Structure formats: C-alpha cells, structure tokens
Amino acid sequence: MTPIEDLAARLREFVAAREWEPFHTPKNLAMALAGETGELLAEFQWLTPEEAATVMADPAAGARVRAELGDVMTYLVRLADALGVDLVEAAHAKLDESERRYDPETYRGTARKAPPLP
C-alpha cells in the first residue's frame, strides 16, 4: 500500500471504531475540509511574506501550522476515500492539464490565468 492508502485505511478504522460513518458524508467532509483550510489560512493571515516563509522556525507557530496541515490532509484523504477518488491520480491528471494550459514560453514569470482548454 502507498502512504496515502495506509492513511485512508487508518482513518476508515478510526471512523468505524467510533461509528462516525453516518456523519462522514461527502458534503460534511467537504465542509470540514473547508473549515480546516480556513484554520490553516488564519495562521498566515496577518504575516508578512517573509514571516510566512519562516513560520516553521517559530516552535509554537510551527506546531499550529503542522496541526492544521494534518487536519487538512486527513479530511482531504477521508473525502477522497468516501468518493472513491485516487488522490495521486487526480493530482497527476490536474498537473497534466496545467502543463497543457501553461506552456513555459508563454507563462514563465507571470501569474496570469490561462484561458480554459477547448
């Protein structure tokens, strides 16, 4: 098993032991993921770009960021598992699409959006 598959299995067992399956619907998991992503964002909200780049150097702030990243990851893996989505495959497919949309010659050094693919 891959590390993500191992995590998904562990999360499945964790949820089953607590009989939380009825609460782990795709809608609820997506909402929980959004909430946890907001909590991660809050850790960076008022930092300068320089402070954000070194946030892990501060033990307390680093611990909070690490915990929020863990929360985001667990809800993302649970949601993908509930929907039967292979996260690594989905990420590769998205990267393939981005490579087609954002050719290096046109988009190097710019943050502008590409038009949708036909």
Side-chain angles (χ1 to χ4, degrees):
M1 267 202 259
T2 68
I4 290 179
E5 290 169 336
D6 285 341
L7 179 57
R10 184 174 175 197
L11 287 166
R12 236 179 279 124
E13 291 171 12
F14 177 87
V15 169
R18 290 152 182 83
E19 298 180 354
W20 287 351
E21 295 94 341
F23 311 110
H24 281 218
T25 64
K27 177 195 77 76
N28 288 355
L29 291 167
M31 291 175 67
L33 175 60
E36 294 301 338
T37 302
E39 290 179 18
L40 175 61
L41 183 59
E43 291 297 327
F44 291 90
Q45 185 171 8
W46 304 114
L47 300 182
T48 66
E50 296 77 19
E51 290 168 334
T54 61
V55 71
M56 299 307 290
D58 177 305
R64 290 192 308 272
V65 167
R66 188 180 322 278
E68 295 306 338
L69 285 168
D71 287 341
V72 168
M73 180 72 167
T74 57
Y75 278 113
L76 178 61
V77 169
R78 272 298 292 148
L79 177 59
D81 190 46
L83 294 172
V85 172
D86 180 319
L87 277 175
V88 174
E89 182 181 296
H92 279 291
K94 186 62 180 178
L95 185 55
D96 291 343
E97 178 187 323
S98 293
E99 284 177 334
R100 288 189 302 276
R101 288 182 68 198
Y102 295 97
D103 68 275
E105 294 305 313
T106 304
Y107 291 95
R108 184 174 290 113
T110 180
R112 72 173 191 257
K113 295 279 289 175
L117 288 173

